[in-house]
């Protein structure tokens, strides 16, 4: 089963009142620097500090009470785990979150704050999936995949639905490559004739390689500061994205860090690298966006303030 535009509309009704309708911010200074009109969808101001709240709430509240007694389980580097933990808490059900051992402590703390059980694993996708399978066998919990789930895709798509409503006449939306949000955005943008461009770290460029080859890359060893963008595309994500996405722009971490610095300093918004990569793409490829109305998804703001990246070049 895949997700559709109609599923996004249903999700918007289901999650209303349970997540924020986040604002859109602009910056004259950044517009001038980019040579375009930029509209930042502020999902870093969402519940749990990330757009992931949308998909988790939609998934959890789409299930009957009889199904959820054993709780919910997933694997996550942080934001989806916190989002699922919160959604489970809203339904008074337990949550079990498999977390790679190298996940930022600030994100592990957020998961724990919502009362979930954290199960650490090695930081590879096979280890994440194997550990999750063991947790589900032990607990009987319902699995909610962080991105390759039609309910999650539909929920994430509501961020683009809001953006389209808030800003008329967008030409293009730039989305960090994770999977669920990009797929959901493609479903919405297709309905209104808006192009979608993905921004992806060079150290985790499976989506780029998948789109170029026409075959989904299922294994890689990510090496990027964008901890939220390290997983590979899911099968459902790839099927939705492949015919609808204009292109994937691959970014070095240095460009993402500089974009993060600009958002912090010019807009006074605390975003994580996985969000700042959208601005990095616009700044690195100005000819593609010149004179256009550009929506950018600021996907999350859960930054470890003890490990800011701005001075890494001086280490």
């Amino acid at each position: 089963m895949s997700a559709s535009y109609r599923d996004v509309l249903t999700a918007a009704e289901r999650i209303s009142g349970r997540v924020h309708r986040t604002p859109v911010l602009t910056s004259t200074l950044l517009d001038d620097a980019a040579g375009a009109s930029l509209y930042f969808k502020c999902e870093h101001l969402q519940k749990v500090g990330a757009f992931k709240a949308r998909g988790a709430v939609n998934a959890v509240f789409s299930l009957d009470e009889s199904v959820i007694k054993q709780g919910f389980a997933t694997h996550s580097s942080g934001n989806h785990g916190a989002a699922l933990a919160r959604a489970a808490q809203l339904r008074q059900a337990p949550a079990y979150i498999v977390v790679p051992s190298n996940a930022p402590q600030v994100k592990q703390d957020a998961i724990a704050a919502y009362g979930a059980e954290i199960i650490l694993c090695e930081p590879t996708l096979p280890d994440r999936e194997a550990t999750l399978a063991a947790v589900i066998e032990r607990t009987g919990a319902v699995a909610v995949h962080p991105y390759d789930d039609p309910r999650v895709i539909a929920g994430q798509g509501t961020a683009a639905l809001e953006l389209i409503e808030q800003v008329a006449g967008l030409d293009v939306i730039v989305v960090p490559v994770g999977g669920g949000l990009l797929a959901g955005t493609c479903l919405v943008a297709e309905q209104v004739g808006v192009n979608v461009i993905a921004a992806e770290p060079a150290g985790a460029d499976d989506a780029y390689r998948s789109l170029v080859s026409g075959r989904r890359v299922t294994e890689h060893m990510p090496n990027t500061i964008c901890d939220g963008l390290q997983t590979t595309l899911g099968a459902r994500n790839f099927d939705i994205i492949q015919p609808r996405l204009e292109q994937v722009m691959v970014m070095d971490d240095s460009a993402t860090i500089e974009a993060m610095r600009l958002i912090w300093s010019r807009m006074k918004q605390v975003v994580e690298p996985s969000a700042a990569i959208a601005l990095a793409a616009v700044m690195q490829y100005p000819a593609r966006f010149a004179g256009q109305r550009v929506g950018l998804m600021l996907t999350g703001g859960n930054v470890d303030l003890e490990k800011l990246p701005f001075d890494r070049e001086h280490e």
Side-chain angles (χ1 to χ4, degrees):
M1 183 176 69
S2 186
S4 67
Y5 177 66
R6 184 176 296 276
D7 293 328
V8 179
L9 298 179
T10 300
E13 295 179 2
R14 183 178 289 127
I15 70 177
S16 179
R18 297 185 174 111
V19 301
H20 293 314
R21 182 180 175 88
T22 54
V24 174
L25 295 182
T26 59
S27 166
T28 300
L29 286 170
L30 293 183
D31 284 357
D32 291 344
S37 298
L38 309 182
Y39 300 90
F40 296 86
K41 180 60 170 168
C42 295
E43 287 297 294
H44 63 296
L45 303 179
Q46 185 55 265
K47 297 287 190 181
V48 310
F51 74 93
K52 296 284 192 177
R54 297 174 180 273
V57 167
N58 188 52
V60 166
F61 280 86
S62 69
L63 297 173
D64 293 335
E65 193 73 30
S66 59
V67 178
I68 67 169
K69 292 180 180 179
Q70 305 304 316
F72 301 91
T74 194
H75 65 78
S76 169
S77 61
N79 287 339
H80 174 67
L84 186 64
R86 172 183 175 267
Q89 188 179 71
L90 290 176
R91 293 209 68 177
Q92 299 181 324
Y96 307 92
I97 314 298
V98 175
V99 178
S101 57
N102 62 347
Q105 190 60 46
V106 64
K107 295 188 177 183
Q108 295 188 44
D109 293 344
I111 293 170
Y114 289 107
E117 179 183 328
I118 295 175
I119 303 95
L120 294 177
C121 70
E122 292 300 310
T124 68
L125 185 57
D127 279 305
R128 286 164 67 138
E129 292 177 340
T131 305
L132 176 60
V135 169
I136 291 171
E137 183 176 0
R138 169 171 65 88
T139 65
V142 176
V144 179
H145 197 279
Y147 48 88
D148 194 8
D149 182 308
R151 302 162 300 180
V152 170
I153 292 170
Q156 318 303 32
T158 62
L161 192 67
E162 288 180 10
L163 177 59
I164 294 294
E165 294 170 353
Q166 291 166 311
V167 183
L170 284 176
D171 296 299
V172 61
I173 302 175
V174 184
V175 186
V177 176
L181 179 62
L182 181 58
T185 299
C186 284
L187 292 173
V188 172
E190 181 182 41
Q191 294 295 311
V192 293
V194 175
N195 291 327
V196 180
I197 289 176
E200 184 172 48
D205 65 345
D206 65 285
Y208 173 79
R209 290 182 285 129
S210 295
L211 270 294
V212 168
S213 68
R215 300 179 65 181
R216 185 170 64 97
V217 173
T218 57
E219 292 184 10
H220 71 157
M221 292 296 291
N223 180 21
T224 174
I225 193 173
C226 301
D227 62 272
L229 307 181
Q230 295 183 356
T231 54
T232 57
L233 286 176
R236 292 180 181 86
N237 311 128
F238 183 67
D239 288 346
I240 292 171
I241 291 164
Q242 187 179 29
R244 296 175 175 89
L245 186 68
E246 177 182 326
Q247 69 179 108
V248 179
M249 293 181 171
V250 178
M251 310 304 303
D252 289 335
D253 278 355
S254 58
T256 296
I257 292 169
E258 180 56 29
M260 182 177 169
R261 186 201 299 268
L262 284 172
I263 295 169
W264 281 50
S265 62
R266 303 302 185 190
M267 298 179 68
K268 316 305 178 189
Q269 299 298 307
V270 176
V271 300
E272 58 191 89
S274 298
I277 195 172
L279 178 60
V282 173
M283 300 303 288
Q284 184 157 318
Y285 298 96
R288 168 60 186 83
F289 303 101
Q292 297 200 332
R293 295 167 67 81
V294 184
L296 298 93
M297 289 290 184
L298 294 183
T299 49
N302 294 313
V303 183
D304 188 344
L305 297 178
E306 302 302 321
K307 297 180 180 179
L308 294 180
F310 301 134
D311 292 325
R312 282 192 169 192
E313 62 267 35
H314 302 305
E315 291 180 357

